[in-house]
Amino acid sequence: MQDSSSQHERLWDRFGDLTVWKRGDQRAPHKPLLIFYALGRLAQGDRWLRFSDIEEDLTDLLIEFGPPRQSHHPEYPFWHLRSDGVWVVPEADVLEMRQSASNPPKTELREKEARGGFSDDIHQAFRNDPELRREIARLLLSSHFPTSLHEDIATAVSLNLEGAASERRDPEFRTQVLQAYQYRCAICGFDLQLGMSGTPIGVEAAHIKWKQARGPDEISNGIALCALHHKMLDKGALHVTEDLRLFVSEAVHGSQPHLSRLQDRHGNRIHTPQRETYYPNGEVMTWHVNEVFRGPPRV
């Protein structure tokens, strides 16, 4: 009989070694998002997912949590996840490929009613061990997304992450970034502290270029933000330019006075760090505007 711990280790290796499309620092979280979606559906008892049924849901996930792009392709992860040995498409043999491409078009997946799902061994392991599902979800979340988005993604796919382990962080990075910005949010100035020790409440050291995209734990890749503005930065609602001006996305909307407060800050400089050597560098700013910011900015 197969040892369960060794089986779990092999599954960790298979999901940890996913082949993710790469071109420089561009983000491509298509496969992880499909896996999250499938894990959520598996928790509801669904083994096979018909492409035509999940196409819209998967596209919405790519729009909300993927990089800003002119078009989105849910057919790519649905088909190419097969190459990682964790996903199967039973109708694969009857599907016609696109010319000069290694995947079938959306229309072919729809017309042939193509289904996808985890391979037999993985499906069985996940069905028998709900905690294993959560472990794999946490592994992929920590590998591809900042902590501020984990709960949002889990909620979007109806995946329970209760008992999730905390992501390991470099304590020196947090200390250095907060000190550089004098323990206040660089956008709104929020600086509440607790007790005689002056422990900051709700002021965080945000990575501009995510650690999951190989962003360094350096002050020039950090910015002190309150929890709200940290979340907005990671969601692409905000961007900070190289000359430290705040840009707000046109996609942000809401009620007054909250929206007007944000609009009033649009185009203005943020609170600058204590030294110019601490300023965010151009490379991480470029990455954020290309891979995260939901432009265009407001005029």
Side-chain angles (χ1 to χ4, degrees), residues 79-180:
W79 180 254
H80 290 301
L81 188 57
R82 297 163 58 251
S83 65
D84 295 282
V86 301
W87 186 259
V88 292
V89 177
E91 292 75 23
D93 291 340
V94 301
L95 297 172
E96 296 183 10
M97 302 298 105
R98 294 189 301 166
Q99 292 184 350
S100 303
S102 58
N103 63 280
K106 296 179 185 179
T107 53
E108 183 72 1
L109 292 171
R110 297 184 196 119
E111 291 173 2
K112 299 292 176 60
E113 297 189 340
R115 300 166 298 157
F118 293 116
S119 58
D120 289 342
D121 62 327
I122 292 177
H123 171 75
Q124 191 67 29
F126 281 159
R127 191 179 68 173
N128 294 339
D129 190 347
E131 179 55 30
L132 178 61
R133 295 199 299 263
R134 290 191 285 269
E135 289 177 1
I136 295 301
R138 294 195 289 263
L139 168 68
L140 293 175
L141 283 169
S142 63
S143 298
H144 297 277
F145 297 93
T147 307
S148 63
L149 300 184
H150 290 188
E151 193 60 39
D152 287 353
I153 294 172
T155 299
V157 298
S158 300
L159 186 61
N160 179 14
L161 291 179
E162 185 177 352
S166 298
E167 178 186 346
R168 289 186 177 180
R169 290 182 171 272
D170 181 353
E172 287 299 313
F173 173 76
R174 178 179 185 275
T175 299
Q176 292 170 356
V177 170
L178 293 188
Q179 181 173 302

Side-chain angles (χ1 to χ4, degrees), residues 238-269:
L238 305 175
H239 174 67
V240 178
T241 64
E242 288 189 46
D243 61 352
L244 300 184
R245 295 189 181 279
L246 178 69
F247 277 5
V248 180
S249 169
E250 282 187 353
V252 176
H253 55 87
S255 61
Q256 303 296 341
H258 311 293
L259 183 59
S260 62
R261 290 173 183 166
L262 194 61
Q263 289 174 320
D264 289 344
R265 295 190 178 102
H266 175 72
N268 294 330
R269 295 196 84 194

Side-chain angles (χ1 to χ4, degrees), residues 193-225:
Q193 302 174 14
L194 179 65
M196 297 296 293
S197 62
T199 303
I201 304 173
V203 181
E204 304 168 350
H207 284 82
I208 299 168
K209 182 178 182 181
W210 300 349
K211 286 179 64 67
Q212 294 77 9
R214 299 184 299 281
D217 284 328
E218 298 173 357
I219 299 177
S220 59
N221 184 40
I223 182 171
L225 296 174

